[in-house]
């Protein structure tokens, strides 16, 4: 018990304490992932309610033991069609989807190692641990470093490279064409976690692949989530017929868990349609990102380069990070404060997520609040 207490006190003293704060007042929220503002969309809410009445609250079982429902199937068909892949598989969460893909590929391809961008999401790291793979971690978006690691590798197994499409802690986009060029030279393949790109990037919201004018022929598996741009909950993987079958047969985080509630699948399908029909949301988002960056630059607020809704300001140490976060909150702007282990030591940052629910005056209020922390950054 003494050790547990000590550990908690240590956490507090280092300013690394995590709190589950709720929005109680009328702060503007700049920390959500509801990029297109669909979480409160009336049409999606109605679809959810109607599906709840019709199908009940829970899915009542795992997908392989009665939990698979026509609404899952309809959503999978729509996702595959939209993404331009042969098949899709719906998961309960993106965390589980990443575990599934990595452990299943590790097992069936007899992998001993995986090539992973340093800034990849925690669920990718956990999948690597669970798959007993040696982590070959290349510097963020440094594909020459990836090339070096690939060249040095002595394993005869196929080379698997895992990367986010849009990096959640940097807001930048993976240079997929360059990554593919390198990995192809070593006859390997790339798997993409497009949690933050899906719905946001590309002319039609297909994500990082569309952004780079690439397709299913270039990347065999793409993972995406519903809890971000689609404003609902859950996740999916699209891929070839065989790869999706493989996941159904072997992925423990698919097999041994309760399936996504059918009402969520039904409302996500409506959200997918709304996202396609309301292209203006993506266009509008682009406009406010541009406005925010232009004005921030004019006001001398140092932003990391990013053309996505994820905008970052380095605050370096945890103390300054918490200080700036608190000032911004007092000014009515609620942003993310990223500290280790989410980001590397000494590279703490504030994360500002812009969404289609923000209006220009919200952005201007944020800019005004940011000028108050200028002296600390
Ligand atoms: C959010 C996220 C996940 C996990 O998705 P959940 O559905 O929230 O479990 C995985 N990868 C990345 C990059 C994410 O941002």
């Amino acid at each position: 018990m003494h050790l547990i207490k000590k550990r908690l006190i240590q956490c507090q003293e280092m300013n690394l304490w995590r709190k589950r704060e709720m929005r109680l007042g009328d702060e503007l929220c700049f920390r959500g992932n509801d990029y297109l503002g669909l979480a409160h969309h009336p049409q999606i809410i109605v679809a959810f309610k109607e599906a709840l009445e019709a199908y009940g609250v829970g899915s009542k079982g795992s997908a392989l033991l009665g939990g698979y429902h026509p609404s899952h199937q309809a959503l999978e068909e729509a996702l595959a069609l939209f993404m331009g892949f042969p098949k899709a598989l719906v998961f309960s969460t993106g965390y589980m989807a990443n575990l599934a893909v990595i452990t299943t590929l590790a097992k069936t391809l007899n992998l001993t190692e995986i090539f992973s961008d340093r800034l990849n999401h925690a669920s990718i790291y956990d999948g690597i641990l669970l798959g007993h793979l040696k982590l070959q971690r290349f510097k963020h978006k440094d594909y020459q470093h990836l090339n070096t690691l690939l060249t040095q590798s002595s394993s005869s197994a196929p080379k698997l490279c895992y990367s986010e499409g849009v990096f959640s802690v940097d807001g930048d986009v993976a240079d997929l064409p360059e990554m593919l060029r390198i990995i192809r030279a070593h006859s390997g393949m790339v798997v993409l976690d497009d949690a933050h790109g899906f719905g946001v990037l590309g002319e039609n919201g297909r994500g990082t692949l569309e952004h780079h004018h690439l397709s299913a022929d270039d990347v065999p598996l793409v993972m995406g989530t519903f809890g971000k741009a689609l404003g609902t909950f859950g996740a999916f993987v699209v891929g070839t017929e065989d790869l999706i079958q493989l996941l159904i047969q072997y992925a423990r985080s698919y097999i041994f868990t309760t399936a996504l509630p059918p009402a969520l699948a039904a409302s996500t399908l409506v959200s997918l349609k709304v996202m396609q029909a309301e292209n203006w949301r993506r266009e509008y988002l682009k406009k406010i990102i541009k406005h925010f960056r232009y004005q921030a630059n004019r006001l001398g607020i140092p932003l990391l380069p990013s053309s996505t809704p994820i905008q970052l300001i380095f605050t370096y140490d945890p103390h300054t990070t918490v200080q700036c976060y608190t000032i911004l909150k007092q000014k009515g702007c609620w942003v993310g404060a990223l500290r280790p282990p989410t980001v590397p030591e000494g590279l703490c940052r504030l994360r500002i997520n812009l969404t289609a629910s923000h209006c220009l005056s919200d952005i201007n209020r944020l800019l005004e609040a940011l000028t108050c922390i200028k002296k600390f950054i």
Side-chain angles (χ1 to χ4, degrees):
M1 282 321 269
H2 176 66
L3 266 178
I4 293 171
K5 202 80 193 151
K6 205 169 127 187
R7 187 72 212 191
L8 286 172
I9 291 168
Q10 220 175 29
C11 204
Q12 260 170 330
E13 283 174 353
M14 290 168 75
N15 261 313
L16 296 177
W17 190 256
R18 291 165 186 261
K19 268 189 294 194
R20 299 173 302 166
E21 280 182 75
M22 286 177 279
R23 184 167 157 212
L24 297 172
D26 56 357
E27 300 105 346
L28 292 168
C29 180
F30 292 100
R31 55 188 343 209
N33 299 319
D34 182 25
Y35 298 120
L36 300 177
L38 294 179
H40 292 269
H41 196 287
Q43 220 177 316
I44 302 167
I45 292 174
V46 166
F48 192 36
K49 281 185 182 164
E50 286 178 358
L52 273 175
E53 293 285 349
Y55 313 139
V57 179
S59 66
K60 306 171 197 154
S62 72
L64 296 171
L65 287 171
Y68 190 56
H69 185 270
S71 64
H72 296 120
Q73 192 178 19
L75 177 59
E76 287 175 348
E77 282 168 8
L79 282 164
L81 189 69
F82 175 65
M83 291 295 285
F85 280 72
K87 284 273 174 207
L89 188 64
V90 165
F91 280 82
S92 297
T93 71
Y95 186 96
M96 288 147 90
N98 273 335
L99 295 190
V101 172
I102 299 171
T103 55
T104 302
L105 290 178
K107 195 162 164 173
T108 47
L109 300 175
N110 292 319
L111 301 184
T112 55
E113 60 184 357
I114 187 168
F115 299 83
S116 166
D117 189 290
R118 176 158 196 234
L119 289 190
N120 273 346
H121 192 258
S123 55
I124 298 172
Y125 282 102
D126 292 355
I128 294 169
L129 281 175
L130 207 54
H132 304 289
L133 295 172
K134 182 176 171 206
L135 173 63
Q136 298 279 21
R137 189 162 70 161
F138 56 92
K139 290 182 209 146
H140 178 51
K141 285 177 68 177
D142 185 341
Y143 305 114
Q144 273 318 310
H145 187 211
L146 167 65
N147 191 38
T148 308
L149 293 178
L150 284 163
T151 308
Q152 284 168 354
S153 160
S154 54
S155 162
S156 57
K159 305 282 181 257
L160 175 66
C161 177
Y162 221 97
S163 177
E164 288 187 35
V166 173
F167 287 89
S168 54
V169 295
D170 250 25
D172 52 354
V173 185
D175 185 351
L176 208 45
E178 180 61 10
M179 201 192 317
L180 283 168
R181 197 179 66 78
I182 301 288
I183 198 85
R184 278 178 184 146
H186 296 269
S187 314
M189 67 169 175
V190 170
V191 171
L192 200 63
D193 171 342
D194 213 14
H196 295 272
F198 176 66
V200 175
L201 288 194
E203 204 179 327
N204 301 287
R206 294 195 180 92
T208 306
L209 274 187
E210 190 181 24
H211 174 79
H212 287 300
H213 307 289
L214 297 166
S215 71
D217 298 331
D218 303 294
V219 177
L221 272 180
V222 175
M223 172 279 210
T225 66
F226 306 144
K228 278 142 194 165
L230 289 194
T232 63
F233 181 93
F236 70 93
V237 170
V238 283
T240 61
E241 183 115 27
D242 283 352
L243 281 169
I244 296 300
Q245 267 310 325
L246 197 69
L247 290 171
I248 297 171
Q249 303 311 315
Y250 291 104
R252 295 168 67 85
S253 58
Y254 183 75
I255 300 167
F256 297 105
T257 196
T258 302
L260 189 78
L264 269 168
S267 48
T268 300
L269 178 58
V270 172
S271 181
L272 181 67
K273 288 183 177 154
V274 169
M275 183 262 270
Q276 287 169 258
E278 301 186 2
N279 251 322
W280 63 264
R281 290 178 182 272
R282 238 178 334 278
E283 293 307 315
Y284 173 74
L285 190 54
K286 264 192 238 160
K287 212 172 86 180
I288 57 167
I289 294 168
K290 235 181 178 164
H291 172 77
F292 174 70
R293 288 193 64 87
Y294 177 80
Q295 293 299 336
N297 183 45
R298 213 176 52 85
L299 295 167
I301 298 156
L303 299 174
L304 265 74
S306 160
S307 57
T308 72
I310 306 171
Q311 298 290 325
L312 298 121
I313 299 171
F314 271 137
T315 41
Y316 305 101
D317 66 276
H319 179 74
T320 313
T321 310
V322 172
Q323 192 178 22
C324 291
Y325 164 86
T326 309
I327 294 170
L328 291 176
K329 186 131 192 263
Q330 281 160 357
K331 300 264 169 211
C333 294
W334 203 21
V335 305
L338 306 189
R339 292 160 293 163
T342 309
V343 292
E345 202 81 45
L347 290 176
C348 295
R349 61 200 74 179
L350 298 175
R351 177 165 61 193
I352 294 158
N353 282 2
L354 302 176
T355 77
S357 331
H358 293 127
C359 58
L360 275 186
S361 69
D362 296 339
I363 306 292
N364 291 339
R365 186 158 148 208
L366 171 66
L367 287 159
E368 203 178 299
L370 287 172
T371 57
C372 302
I373 60 156
K374 235 171 87 176
K375 54 181 174 289
F376 303 111
I377 51 183

